[in-house]
């Protein structure tokens, strides 16, 4: 009876996880989705605590208290811009946990170290179980070190620049096949395969996590993190097969497939092939390039405007589109954007927000920030929904966005961002760009938009400029 109730709870938890993922695919349902996922996790954890295999709770309570305290501190103190780092950190521990669970399970059958008071070994593992355990330990160890590397690159502990050397890909692929060979060896001969083969496979996983992330630029880390998320999910799924746990199989499969789909979607939105992200050594994550120079090295002239100039254009506009980007997140300008838009709407101006799928540094970055500032969802438009509107718009305010409004993606075949879908911002009557300097963005390429005659550059921190614009606009009269 107890086992049946636990299985029923797992079924409920699995349904909640699926509803969570469904909710996360839209900004309106996002919060509800997160809550359903949390509820599903609670149901799964509580049901597991009733399992007959759990003999004492001391260590579980210690783990719960330490993990809960760290998780609460992180969620209270961490700014939104640090979310990719936080996710990388969580995946690292997810990978470590999976690896340790797998090694412990293996140790029960093939003792790795001989302890004086150890119980007698359980006998050789069957082929399916050793296969699942090996897969779990290999992916878990790779996820652990790979995520630590991703975290280090984003935090700047490790250079964000791609580290490449001759024969790198051949060496990594070779190491992968050696690990695969060791895995197959254990499946073919579970009783005879030596312990070193299992441990060597885990060691290669740890090394590949480091070596595989080294050649990838810091700026591509969000895609890598979502790929590692997928590995962590697959490792958990394999753990489910090894431990005969349905909830781990289902939740691991959901995690693995959703992480993989997300990586594919992010690559597609950047118009990069998956292979190009993983082997391409693109992007350093720095936005500190030199100001643009035209042909022959002559510096191009941009039209630098004051807040008063920009406010005058806004006051004369009947339609305005806001294009937020990574700089809005850095400046935490989302509330100031909302205030300015409210002041414009009060004057009878129609305001829309154009949300690019890869604006910022993680999927949904702009949606999360604007939702936090209570911007109504029905004012947020996807690229496909709004791109035709720019030609009919009086003024576009680009708030800390750069690559997602770079016309080179449409016109310059030699540009690293060529082919990435971008907003047709240049077609609107006037453009106000808010950023601190003429430096390039994520991809490191210059932006012709900033030098067009209908573009006004208002340089400075986006939040400060928006607050000054708000004061000007609210003080002015109606159309
Ligand atoms: P971006 O190209 O990185 O440009 C951001 C701009 O914000 C910079 O040019 C910077 O210029 C400005 N900025 C920084 N701090 C600011 C502040 N305090 N006030 C005002 N401006 C500030 O950003 P994006 O247009 O959002 O494009 C996102 C890029 O990230 C794309 O290339 C995308 O492929 C990539 N990416 C996105 C994801 C994702 O999931 N969203 C994942 C991986 C990669 P200044 O330094 O001059 O101020």
């Amino acid at each position: 009876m107890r086992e049946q109730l636990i299985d029923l709870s797992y079924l409920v938890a699995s349904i909640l996880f699926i509803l969570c993922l469904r909710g996360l695919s839209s900004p309106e349902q996002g919060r509800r989705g997160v809550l359903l996922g949390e509820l599903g996790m609670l149901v799964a954890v509580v049901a597991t605590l009733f399992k007959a295999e759990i003999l004492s709770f001391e260590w579980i309570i210690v783990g719960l208290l330490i993990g809960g305290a760290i998780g609460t501190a992180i969620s209270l103190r961490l700014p939104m811009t640090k979310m990719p780092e936080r996710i990388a950190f969580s995946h690292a521990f997810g990978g470590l946990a999976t690896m340790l669970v797998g090694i412990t399970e293996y140790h029960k059958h093939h003792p790795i170290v001989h302890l004086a008071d150890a119980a007698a070994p359980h006998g050789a593992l069957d082929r399916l179980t050793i296969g699942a355990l090996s897969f779990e330990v290999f992916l878990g160890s790779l996820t652990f070190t790979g995520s630590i590397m991703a975290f280090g690159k984003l935090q700047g502990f490790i250079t964000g620049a791609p580290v490449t050397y001759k024969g790198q890909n051949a060496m990594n692929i070779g190491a992968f096949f050696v690990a695969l060979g060791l895995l197959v060896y254990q499946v073919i001969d579970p009783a005879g395969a030596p312990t070193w083969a299992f441990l060597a496979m885990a060691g290669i996983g740890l090394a590949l996590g480091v070596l595989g992330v080294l050649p990838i630029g810091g700026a591509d880390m969000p895609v890598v993190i979502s790929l590692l998320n997928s590995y962590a999910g697959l490792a958990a799924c394999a753990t489910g097969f090894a431990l005969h746990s349905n909830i781990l199989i289902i939740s691991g499969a959901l995690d693995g497939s959703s992480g993989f789909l997300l990586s594919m979607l992010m690559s597609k939105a950047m118009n990069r092939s998956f292979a190009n992200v993983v082997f391409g050594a693109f992007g350093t994550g720095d936005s500190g390039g030199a100001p643009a120079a035209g042909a022959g090295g002559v510096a191009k002239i941009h039209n630098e405007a004051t807040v008063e100039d920009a406010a005058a254009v806004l006051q004369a506009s009947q339609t305005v589109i806001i294009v937020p980007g990574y700089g809005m997140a850095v400046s935490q300008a989302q509330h100031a954007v909302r205030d300015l838009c409210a002041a414009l709407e009060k004057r009878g101006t129609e305001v829309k927000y154009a949300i690019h799928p890869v604006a910022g540094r993680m999927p949904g970055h702009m949606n999360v920030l604007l939702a936090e500032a209570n911007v109504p969802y029905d004012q947020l438009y996807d690229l496909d929904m709004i791109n035709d509107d720019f030609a009919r718009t009086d003024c576009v305010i680009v708030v800390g966005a750069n690559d997602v409004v770079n016309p080179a993606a449409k016109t310059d075949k030699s540009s690293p961002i060529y082919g990435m879908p971008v907003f047709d911002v240049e077609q609107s009557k006037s453009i106000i760009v808010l950023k601190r300097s003429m430096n390039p963005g994520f991809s490191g390429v210059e932006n012709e938009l900033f030098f067009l005659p209908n573009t006004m550059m208002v340089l400075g921190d986006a939040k400060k400029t928006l607050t000054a614009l708000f004061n000007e606009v609210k003080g002015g009269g109606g159309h």
Side-chain angles (χ1 to χ4, degrees):
M1 181 65 181
R2 185 208 294 215
E3 282 304 313
Q4 276 146 355
L5 277 176
I6 291 175
D7 278 341
L8 189 68
S9 309
Y10 284 166
L11 186 67
V12 171
S14 304
I15 293 170
L16 287 168
F17 291 150
I18 292 169
L19 292 174
C20 160
L21 285 176
R22 191 183 150 74
L24 290 178
S25 58
S26 93
E28 287 105 317
Q29 303 287 321
R31 275 170 208 266
R32 199 168 148 257
V34 170
L35 284 174
L36 290 175
E38 285 172 345
L39 185 64
M41 193 53 82
L42 185 71
V43 171
V45 170
V46 171
T48 306
L49 291 176
F50 281 96
K51 284 221 147 212
E53 291 97 316
I54 297 181
L55 304 177
S56 75
F57 287 90
E58 289 96 329
W59 287 106
I60 292 176
I61 293 171
V62 171
L64 196 77
L65 289 178
I66 297 177
I70 296 174
T72 310
I74 288 178
S75 65
L76 289 177
R77 299 175 66 96
L78 204 86
M80 208 48 169
T81 42
K82 290 281 171 201
M83 207 41 91
E85 284 91 320
R86 194 205 69 75
I87 296 170
F89 203 58
S90 305
H91 288 162
F93 284 101
L96 180 65
T98 321
M99 182 182 106
L100 293 178
V101 167
I103 291 177
T104 310
E105 196 59 25
Y106 178 86
H107 172 75
K108 282 192 205 160
H109 299 262
H110 305 267
I112 297 170
V113 280
H114 293 277
L115 303 168
D117 57 348
H122 292 207
L125 287 157
D126 62 77
R127 287 197 167 132
L128 177 75
T129 312
I130 188 75
L133 269 188
S134 304
F135 188 69
E136 166 199 343
V137 168
F138 176 65
L139 277 188
S141 45
L142 191 154
T143 306
F144 172 49
T145 47
S147 302
I148 295 273
M149 288 290 293
F151 173 77
K153 283 208 169 208
L154 288 172
Q155 270 299 97
F157 297 145
I158 304 166
T159 173
V163 178
T164 51
Y165 45 87
K166 212 165 163 248
Q168 189 173 33
N169 285 339
M171 196 177 103
N172 290 352
I173 293 170
F176 172 79
F177 278 106
V178 171
L180 193 68
L182 292 170
L183 192 152
V184 172
Y185 179 18
Q186 288 168 88
V187 175
I188 293 174
D189 186 8
T195 306
W196 68 257
F198 185 82
L199 294 180
M201 193 197 55
I204 294 175
L206 290 173
L208 270 183
V210 176
L211 298 174
V213 178
L214 266 184
I216 306 175
D220 272 341
M221 281 307 119
V223 185
V224 172
I225 289 167
S226 101
L227 188 64
L228 288 167
N229 173 22
S230 152
Y231 291 168
L234 290 178
C237 184
T239 314
F241 280 106
L243 303 184
H244 307 290
S245 164
N246 291 340
I247 189 73
L248 273 177
I249 294 175
I250 297 172
S251 54
L254 287 173
D255 192 11
S257 50
S258 58
F260 187 68
L261 282 176
L262 185 58
S263 323
M264 300 295 273
L265 286 172
M266 284 162 86
S267 305
K268 195 171 163 230
M270 293 195 270
N271 197 39
R272 315 253 317 275
S273 73
F274 211 43
N276 182 260
V277 172
V278 178
F279 302 113
F282 169 97
T284 62
D286 300 326
S287 67
V298 181
K300 290 183 188 170
I301 310 287
H302 61 271
N303 172 16
E304 197 160 335
T306 62
V307 167
E308 291 73 22
D309 299 334
V313 171
L314 280 176
Q315 280 163 338
S317 301
Q318 290 183 347
T319 46
V320 169
I321 296 180
I322 310 287
V323 181
Y326 179 61
M328 182 180 84
V330 176
S331 163
Q332 285 294 294
Q334 60 274 23
H335 296 275
V337 171
R338 184 216 44 213
D339 292 345
L340 175 64
C341 292
L344 287 170
E345 283 174 322
K346 221 169 158 190
R347 298 168 44 81
T349 312
E350 184 196 59
V351 181
K352 291 178 180 175
Y353 293 78
I355 310 297
H356 194 280
V358 292
R361 288 293 182 273
M362 60 180 181
H365 203 168
M366 299 299 114
N367 295 86
V368 171
L369 293 173
L370 294 172
E372 183 196 310
N374 291 323
V375 170
Y377 297 126
D378 58 7
Q379 287 187 349
L380 310 187
Y381 292 84
D382 289 343
L383 189 98
D384 297 342
M385 288 157 73
I386 204 159
N387 233 7
D388 291 342
D389 288 13
F390 286 104
R392 298 188 288 269
T393 298
D394 293 330
C395 181
V396 173
I397 313 179
V398 176
V399 185
N402 195 336
D403 291 346
V404 300
V405 294
N406 193 337
K410 293 176 284 191
T411 55
D412 181 0
K413 283 193 176 156
S414 64
S415 171
I417 58 167
Y418 182 72
M420 170 169 134
V422 288
F423 291 124
D424 295 335
V425 167
E426 68 284 359
Q427 293 187 9
S428 72
K429 280 195 199 121
S430 47
I431 303 142
I432 298 172
V433 176
L434 312 183
K435 68 198 292 290
R436 298 165 305 180
S437 66
M438 295 305 289
N439 285 344
F442 163 89
S443 64
V445 292
E446 86 173 57
N447 195 335
E448 283 295 328
L449 180 82
F450 303 159
F451 302 95
L452 295 180
N454 55 336
T455 300
M456 304 166 87
M457 299 297 298
V458 187
L459 299 182
D461 175 73
K463 188 174 172 182
K464 282 196 189 132
T465 311
L466 284 161
T467 309
L469 273 174
F470 167 72
N471 289 329
E472 285 288 324
V473 169
K474 95 174 164 186
H479 292 301

